[in-house]
Amino acid sequence: MKLTYFEHSPSNFGDAINATMWAHLLPEGFFDQDESELFLGAGSILWGHTPKRPIKHVMGSGYGGYSGPPDMSDGSWNVVWVRGPLTAATLGLAPRLAIADAAVLLRETPLPDAADDVGVAFMPHFESTYRGRWADACALAGITFIDPRWEPDRVIALIRGARLIISEAMHGAIVADALRTPWVGIVPFDPAHRMKWQDWAQALDIDLRTEQLMPSSALEAYTALSGKSGKARAAGILQRPWVPRRVFLHLAAARLRRVAEAASPQLSSDAMIHEVTARCLDALHGFAKAHAPRPTKTRA
């Protein structure tokens, strides 16, 4: 059985946690490179173009709307649980299968120590790290910058040490919520990334409130206004002398500072986070018991 998640270079925190999290939760040797069975972990990876031939075991994955929904009527899908009710409804699954994003199970794994002197921190969506100038904006605003391309343990340590996480990256909020760090959700600049927030929030009975930031670059502004990444076209716009690059940066920093000072942080209830963690863990343990690798027999 092969562990399967969205792999990108550079890596993205919400996907990269799969590489180590499951090793703490499943027996040693559970995964191999046999692609006849796929273990689908955290992330919006329930795509319409998922390979049809392998058996697909779904562990808290979500549908993100990045493609048409997969056809789950062909017998190749074993849905143990999914991220939220919007995923379940879109895919025609029973509501009971909508438990929580798999990343909640980080609560059941060894965690790095909390980082010191973090204060308020901001994590952009990983695409915003190359469309925008958020490290510079955070420096101007006096806010700790968290890059979702960093190693997961470094990101988790900063989340644990922060008194508030402001996050455009959904898994920044998911992990902050799981580890009980208050968070403020930011409307993603790319509209394609917005639906999945409601999917996760509804699973945890969170009445989601989000804030909007000002774009930190012309490219980011183009993406927000057009709904397209538009790299080639926007690159041409950026070459024009009238584009006020520093104006974008300073407006973004001012707005970020305002959100840090005035926005109301959110957190799911302690009862709910304990409940969904237990349900995910029970579902995973049941799956692992049924699919544990058989020990190799040796002759005496």
Side-chain angles (χ1 to χ4, degrees), residues 140-201:
L140 285 172
I143 288 172
T144 300
F145 174 68
I146 300 179
D147 193 322
R149 300 170 296 182
W150 290 340
E151 287 296 315
D153 275 359
R154 181 180 180 185
V155 174
I156 291 169
L158 289 164
I159 289 173
R160 295 193 73 196
R163 67 173 177 83
L164 173 67
I165 293 292
I166 302 171
S167 190
E168 184 200 7
M170 185 181 69
H171 275 91
I174 289 174
V175 173
D177 193 83
L179 303 183
R180 305 283 80 189
T181 300
W183 52 271
V184 172
I186 297 299
V187 177
F189 286 104
D190 188 338
H193 302 313
R194 295 173 186 174
M195 180 275 285
K196 61 186 181 181
W197 276 80
Q198 285 292 344
D199 188 38
W200 161 68

Side-chain angles (χ1 to χ4, degrees), residues 10-42:
S11 65
N12 172 39
F13 174 67
D15 304 303
I17 56 175
N18 287 286
T20 54
M21 180 179 76
W22 299 109
H24 295 297
L25 298 166
L26 292 166
E28 185 177 356
F30 195 87
F31 297 119
D32 53 29
Q33 295 302 307
D34 182 355
E35 295 186 357
S36 66
E37 292 189 63
L38 306 179
F39 181 107
L40 305 184

